Amino acid sequence: QPLRIDVITIFPEYLEPLRAALLGRAIERGLLEVGVHDLRDWTHDVHRAVDDAPYGGGPGMVMKPQVWGEALDDVCGEHTRLVVPTPAGRPFTQETAREYATERHLVFACGRYEGIDQRVMVDAARRMPVDEVSIGDFVLVGGEVAVLAMVEAVARLLPGVLGNPVSAEQDSFSDGLLEGPSYTRPEVWRGLTVPSVLRSGNHALIDRWRRDESLARTFHRRPDLLERLPEGSLDERDREV
Ligand SMILES: NC(=O)c1ccno1
């Protein structure tokens, strides 16, 4: 059955984009299920408080464990992987997206940057896998935008979501390299031409050119990715690029 995704947040309206365009159509087609929940529905006080001052002092507020505990008790099930976006998390990469696309149920807990009381993740880890992940080395106001990014990265890998499934294999990172430049008509635009090899019809040459462009771009923009390539990824020809 389709991957089920639930998002718990104090800004449910932030997740509306999941209902639009490609993702919205995939949901309508039953290729994945998405539920969005307002964390405040699990508060019991008149102020619907979800955070409090941090023990030990310091700036900002920390999200209360009781509210999160009750929300997760209701939303998580026996096949749930809990994902908590945070700048302090392990890197979320294309590999992570591929793993998540094979899950049955993902629950995303959107916290403020100051964080959720750590005991919420400790308690959840007693009965399900819990991933604290970061989408990049920068700080957002909350986890919602990170969830939008991760859900999009995962959903596009699900069967039937992308019109042209091959592109999921060919996009950046699938072979560990960055994707090279792309071109379309017109052949000359503002005096700029399309590399002639792409119009040669010689697909062996075209593939070779594209690989060289990927290697060069990766070398210049992300040399760290070259370090991480699995052994044997680069042949003699590649090393000359
Ligand atoms: N870098 C991140 O993933 C993040 C999540 C919340 N704030 O920043």
Side-chain angles (χ1 to χ4, degrees):
Q1 78 264 30
L3 166 63
R4 166 106 193 154
I5 292 176
D6 284 290
V7 186
I8 305 171
T9 168
I10 56 173
F11 301 118
E13 66 279 10
Y14 238 88
L15 280 300
E16 279 311 301
L18 291 179
R19 307 288 174 195
L22 189 87
L23 280 192
R25 279 201 302 280
I27 295 168
E28 285 161 14
R29 290 162 54 203
L31 299 175
L32 77 158
E33 293 175 3
V34 174
V36 179
H37 311 269
D38 186 339
L39 178 67
R40 294 189 196 278
D41 290 350
W42 286 276
T43 59
H44 307 296
D45 63 308
V46 66
H47 299 297
R48 309 189 83 201
V50 293
D51 54 15
D52 197 347
Y55 275 117
M61 302 285 270
V62 175
M63 300 193 96
K64 298 161 65 70
Q66 305 96 322
V67 186
W68 273 109
E70 290 185 27
L72 294 176
D73 288 349
D74 284 355
V75 175
C76 299
E78 59 180 318
H79 303 293
T80 301
R81 175 177 293 274
L82 176 63
V83 182
V84 185
T86 167
R90 284 203 316 256
F92 175 89
T93 65
Q94 190 64 18
E95 177 56 33
T96 322
R98 279 196 284 267
E99 289 164 10
Y100 287 3
T102 66
E103 293 285 344
R104 292 175 60 169
H105 187 209
L106 296 172
V107 172
F108 289 92
C110 298
R112 301 161 59 108
Y113 167 57
E114 294 79 359
I116 300 172
D117 186 300
Q118 194 64 36
R119 291 168 293 180
V120 172
M121 283 71 82
V122 171
D123 172 60
R126 289 165 169 167
R127 52 190 174 277
M128 73 190 87
V130 179
D131 291 351
E132 293 186 61
V133 291
S134 169
I135 61 166
D137 293 338
F138 47 84
V139 178
L140 302 168
V141 174
E144 286 75 12
V145 167
V147 170
L148 287 175
M150 289 190 272
V151 169
E152 182 167 317
V154 172
R156 67 185 287 276
L157 299 176
L158 298 175
V161 171
L162 282 187
N164 172 3
V166 176
S167 58
E169 269 66 65
Q170 285 174 347
D171 59 7
S172 279
F173 305 101
S174 52
D175 58 358
L177 299 175
L178 300 183
E179 202 164 319
S182 301
Y183 303 87
T184 186
R185 286 178 294 205
E187 210 174 299
V188 182
W189 176 72
R190 294 188 179 181
L192 299 170
T193 60
V194 172
S196 54
V197 64
L198 295 179
R199 291 178 292 109
S200 69
N202 179 331
H203 288 284
L205 264 185
I206 290 169
D207 289 346
R208 182 74 259 174
W209 182 85
R210 284 176 165 161
R211 173 133 179 118
D212 291 353
E213 288 294 313
S214 277
L215 285 162
R217 177 174 279 187
T218 308
F219 180 80
H220 287 103
R221 295 182 179 175
R222 291 292 305 277
D224 58 299
L225 290 179
L226 289 179
E227 301 302 319
R228 293 213 311 254
L229 282 178
E231 197 53 44
S233 299
L234 303 180
D235 62 29
E236 269 316 296
R237 180 84 181 59
D238 290 337
R239 295 184 187 288
E240 289 163 16
V241 172

